[in-house]
Amino acid sequence: MSLESQKFETQAVRTQTDKTQFLEHSTPMYLTSGFVFEDSEEMRASFAEEKDRNLYSRFSNPNTTEFVDKICKLEGAEDGYAFATGMAAVFSTFAAILNSGDHIVSARSIFGSTHSLFTKYFPKWNIETSYFPVNEVDKIESLIQPNTKIIYAESPTNPGVDVLDLELLGEIAKKHKLLLIIDNCFATPYLQNPINYGADLVIHSATKLIDGQGRVLGGVTVGKKELIREIYLFSRNTGPALSPFNAWVLSKSLETLAVRADRHCANALKLAEFLESHAKVNWVKYPFLKSHPQYDVAKKQMKLGGNIVAFEVQNGVEGGKTFFDNIKMCSLSANLGDTRTIVTHPASTTHSKLAVEDKLAVGITNGMVRCSVGLEHIDDVIADIAEALEAI
Ligand SMILES: *Cc1c(COP(=O)(O)O)cnc(C)c1O
């Protein structure tokens, strides 16, 4: 049986670094900053990259390599590099590829810190970004300029849970010879593989569902070999590397991603269905609900609907406040993709700095709740949310 023909679950479990002389079953932690050489010739050849081996953990380490190898297999990518955080992955990917004067076309609904990069920091280096509304992918072509280099998007989006047609994005990028970069954080490699639709690079915040237990931060970029080479060279000099400890945790987490994601998604669908029929809820958005505006696209490109459910409670800000103050079990936190169900109020927390129009443009209303559905028994999650809704 060839390794390439193995299924997702098998590759997630069986991709491992070479065993040491102790023949350990589970990969050990390689908590070492550097590696030693036999002699001066080996040292010279290693630094000249004539030899493929570990030199220094800012460049590579057996634990980070194992983690990256797994993500590459699970995403169908040629190569990758692992970062200390998802944002280090996003920043380093753009910084390695772009030059002053380049232009990005991006979906408007993107992670808050990525939005800050595009609007606050990149303009300092003369890199401009044009946004297209998530539900108007047909606007993309009109935003492309001679200096455009990248089309960028997340799907499903945060916190609006909108879905972008990856196949269409891939076609537009190919037609205009642009790089397509997708932040695949919400879907994980288990639900969708953007490379199948023409993405050149895929980014993950491993902090979310890849860790899945709210413990460590991490990020990774995978994709075309020649692009990863640029990202690697940039990163080995600038230092955003993932720690071996976190890489070990994240590689272990990937062993259970498929079973966790199956349950996360089944729970989220049940909650979404419950909310859809609740009198105190104005609307619910979940990719695998028939009422979702991009339901057909979601069904085409996603294996399951993900673990994020967005909904609007009645009575705007007041309703939201009452809802959150009456939640007893679920966590009020800004993180997502944890075993514990988390409810967030984007309007007053993660997106509070946005102007009202900008909030509405990315689907955030005052009564909107974002729920990251966890792995508790779904009956208990629904009971907690139902009680809080009753209080409104
Ligand atoms: C959380 C998140 C990031 C940033 O990841 P960190 O690990 O927190 O730096 C980037 N993109 C998306 C979609 C995210 O949800």
Side-chain angles (χ1 to χ4, degrees):
M1 183 172 61
S2 86
L3 273 172
E4 280 67 40
S5 72
Q6 285 177 350
K7 301 272 193 282
F8 185 100
E9 290 82 346
T10 312
Q11 292 190 324
V13 170
R14 287 287 168 183
T15 304
Q16 280 187 288
T17 53
D18 294 338
K19 292 189 185 354
T20 70
Q21 75 271 29
F22 298 115
L23 301 180
E24 66 282 344
H25 194 192
S26 169
T27 299
M29 279 187 211
Y30 292 91
L31 297 188
T32 177
S33 45
F35 300 85
V36 293
F37 305 94
E38 290 294 335
D39 51 35
S40 61
E41 170 50 23
E42 199 200 3
M43 198 156 153
R44 184 207 60 77
S46 304
F47 274 83
E49 293 193 63
E50 289 163 22
K51 257 189 111 148
D52 185 18
R53 51 154 291 171
N54 295 300
L55 309 178
Y56 188 55
S57 289
R58 169 149 44 82
F59 304 178
S60 71
N61 171 285
N63 290 128
T64 52
T65 302
E66 179 182 291
F67 171 63
V68 169
D69 283 352
K70 273 190 197 178
I71 297 280
C72 285
K73 285 183 187 169
L74 303 182
E75 283 287 12
E78 293 169 4
D79 205 354
Y81 186 82
F83 298 89
T85 65
M87 280 323 297
V90 174
F91 174 71
S92 305
T93 298
F94 281 103
I97 291 172
L98 291 177
N99 293 309
S100 172
D102 285 342
H103 176 246
I104 303 163
V105 173
S106 170
R108 174 168 289 172
S109 298
I110 49 171
F111 188 68
S113 296
T114 308
H115 170 71
S116 297
L117 275 186
F118 290 172
T119 53
K120 192 168 168 199
Y121 296 102
F122 285 175
K124 292 207 297 186
W125 301 304
N126 194 26
I127 294 166
E128 299 294 336
T129 303
S130 303
Y131 283 138
F132 63 90
V134 272
N135 295 323
E136 295 173 44
V137 176
D138 52 324
K139 286 247 169 77
I140 295 180
E141 293 198 279
S142 66
L143 296 173
I144 295 173
Q145 307 172 7
N147 60 341
T148 304
K149 200 152 181 190
I150 288 169
I151 297 179
Y152 183 76
E154 299 170 9
S155 183
T157 63
N158 177 26
V161 215
D162 282 300
V163 174
L164 284 97
D165 190 334
L166 297 178
E167 191 177 3
L168 194 58
L169 293 180
E171 282 166 10
I172 298 170
K174 196 166 168 205
K175 182 174 155 199
H176 295 272
K177 297 196 170 55
L178 304 175
L179 296 176
L180 176 63
I181 305 183
I182 300 292
D183 181 334
N184 203 28
C185 172
F186 272 38
T188 80
Y190 183 60
L191 301 190
Q192 96 192 346
N193 295 130
I195 288 172
N196 291 344
Y197 299 101
D200 297 284
L201 292 169
V202 173
I203 299 176
H204 283 284
S205 164
T207 313
K208 312 295 167 52
L209 287 144
I210 289 179
D211 172 59
Q213 289 145 89
R215 302 166 300 182
V216 300
L217 299 165
V220 65
T221 301
V222 298
K224 294 237 169 77
K225 212 173 181 61
E226 65 273 16
L227 295 170
I228 295 296
R229 173 82 187 151
E230 291 304 315
I231 295 165
Y232 165 71
L233 291 174
F234 176 85
S235 303
R236 97 177 221 173
N237 284 306
T238 55
L242 179 65
S243 87
F245 177 85
N246 285 6
W248 181 88
V249 172
L250 293 169
S251 185
K252 287 275 150 217
S253 305
L254 283 172
E255 294 181 21
T256 58
L257 176 62
V259 284
R260 286 187 288 109
D262 277 338
R263 182 63 67 85
H264 272 295
C265 297
N267 282 354
L269 181 61
K270 279 189 193 153
L271 175 68
E273 285 168 349
F274 164 79
L275 292 169
E276 203 163 40
S277 62
H278 199 287
K280 299 276 176 75
V281 173
N282 293 334
W283 52 258
V284 187
K285 244 162 105 191
Y286 182 70
F288 271 31
L289 278 185
K290 283 213 178 64
S291 56
H292 191 286
Q294 297 97 18
Y295 173 75
D296 292 335
V297 178
K299 278 280 182 181
K300 179 180 74 171
Q301 68 193 29
M302 294 173 76
K303 186 184 169 87
L304 295 164
N307 84 314
I308 308 291
V309 181
F311 58 99
E312 187 185 67
V313 299
Q314 286 188 344
N315 295 347
V317 180
E318 268 313 300
K321 198 171 166 342
T322 309
F323 175 78
F324 286 101
D325 290 342
N326 282 279
I327 285 285
K328 294 198 178 74
M329 180 187 78
C330 297
S331 312
L332 274 54
S333 172
N335 194 27
L336 62 94
D338 198 309
T339 50
R340 283 157 282 264
T341 298
I342 294 168
V343 285
T344 316
H345 188 217
S348 71
T349 58
T350 50
H351 294 71
S352 61
K353 289 190 191 75
L354 291 188
V356 177
E357 319 83 79
D358 291 339
K359 281 185 197 162
L360 287 177
V362 293
I364 299 168
T365 60
N366 283 336
M368 178 191 184
V369 178
R370 185 192 74 187
C371 183
S372 164
V373 184
L375 298 179
E376 305 95 338
H377 196 289
I378 189 58
D379 292 352
D380 294 324
V381 174
I382 289 177
D384 191 34
I385 288 178
E387 226 182 282
L389 285 172
E390 288 314 324
I392 295 174

